[in-house]
Amino acid sequence: MFTGLVEEVGRIHQIERKGRSLLLTITAKRVLEDAKIGDSIAVSGVCLTVTKCFDDRFTVDVVPETVDRSTLKRLQPGSRVNLERAMRADGRFGGHIVAGHVDTVAQIRQIQPDENARIVTIQAESDTMRYIVEKGSIAVDGISLTVMDVSNEAFRVSLIPHTAGESTAQDFMIGQSVNLEVDILGKYVERLLSGQKGEAQSGLTFAKLQQYGY
């Protein structure tokens, strides 16, 4: 589990392509301070497991499902990536709940300056847009951001200078693809309300919520 607060920006040192899978070696510093084999590190929003660990780099395997569902397939040696270690149980929860499981790849459609901020418009598929709400949380390439507003096909986020400076958000360009992970709480609520196809309803329905004043 992660929080979406990027700890550092690493660089892709080496990429080995094995059929549809990848073996990535990433240079880093801060996330390696206490890293060991088997630890989870989010790489631009994708939860990956450390398989080798050195003083200045680490290696992770990327399975075909993850390659297909994320922007990791577009990486090249030298590419910058956001890095975050898994959240400590005794740490501050400064962002929001981020699982490191990418829901979709979306596209940046517009970037506008707004005094000391940058307003970024991101377009996503309708299946993803239904989980995105105004003033809710969204993880973009592993960065926890607050949704400014939402339309039918896109949403906007505002980047403060600190967030841009401490992540790959400073590199965002129009037309760029980014990893999106929506707030997992919305998906759980939808699942509970809808029930399983072919199975009994969960018992929690909109009608029942209205009956009890919600």
Side-chain angles (χ1 to χ4, degrees), residues 3-202:
T3 68
L5 299 185
V6 175
E7 293 188 87
E8 70 173 311
V9 175
R11 285 190 181 272
I12 299 300
H13 175 73
Q14 185 176 3
I15 301 176
E16 294 182 40
R17 302 184 186 275
K18 301 180 178 181
R20 292 171 50 228
S21 64
L22 301 174
L23 183 68
L24 302 179
T25 302
I26 303 168
T27 59
K29 183 178 180 180
R30 185 177 303 170
V31 299
L32 292 175
E33 291 174 352
D34 59 355
K36 59 184 183 298
I37 294 174
D39 283 355
S40 295
I41 295 179
V43 178
S44 288
V46 183
C47 177
L48 298 173
T49 301
V50 175
T51 57
K52 293 181 181 178
C53 197
F54 307 94
D55 290 339
D56 62 347
R57 64 193 186 277
F58 65 98
T59 299
V60 292
D61 286 303
V62 187
V63 298
E65 164 70 5
T66 304
V67 173
D68 293 341
R69 301 269 307 230
S70 73
T71 63
L72 297 186
K73 56 182 168 288
R74 298 180 173 88
L75 294 175
Q76 300 293 331
S79 294
R80 285 157 44 89
V81 289
N82 296 319
L83 301 176
E84 181 192 355
R85 288 169 289 186
M87 183 179 67
R88 290 170 54 102
D90 61 349
R92 292 183 182 275
F93 200 155
H96 74 281
I97 298 174
V98 178
H101 304 154
V102 174
D103 289 298
T104 192
V105 172
Q107 281 72 44
I108 295 176
R109 290 306 182 199
Q110 190 176 47
I111 300 175
Q112 298 172 294
D114 184 21
E115 294 189 2
N116 67 335
R118 286 200 299 164
I119 308 300
V120 181
T121 302
I122 301 174
Q123 183 175 344
E125 298 175 350
S126 58
D127 284 350
T128 302
M129 288 301 303
R130 73 174 187 264
Y131 298 113
I132 302 173
V133 298
E134 184 174 340
K135 305 309 177 188
S137 296
I138 187 83
V140 179
D141 274 355
I143 308 166
S144 176
L145 297 170
T146 300
V147 178
M148 283 182 59
D149 50 44
V150 183
S151 65
N152 290 333
E153 298 179 346
F155 65 95
R156 298 196 303 165
V157 294
S158 178
L159 295 173
I160 64 172
H162 176 79
T163 299
E166 296 296 318
S167 71
T168 60
Q170 63 183 292
D171 305 327
F172 281 173
M173 297 183 296
I174 295 173
Q176 178 181 336
S177 297
V178 290
N179 295 320
L180 286 190
E181 182 186 331
V182 302
D183 192 335
I184 195 170
L185 297 178
K187 292 191 287 186
Y188 278 125
V189 170
E190 181 185 64
R191 184 80 164 186
L192 288 168
L193 290 172
S194 62
Q196 294 287 327
K197 184 177 180 181
E199 298 179 2
Q201 291 286 326
S202 66

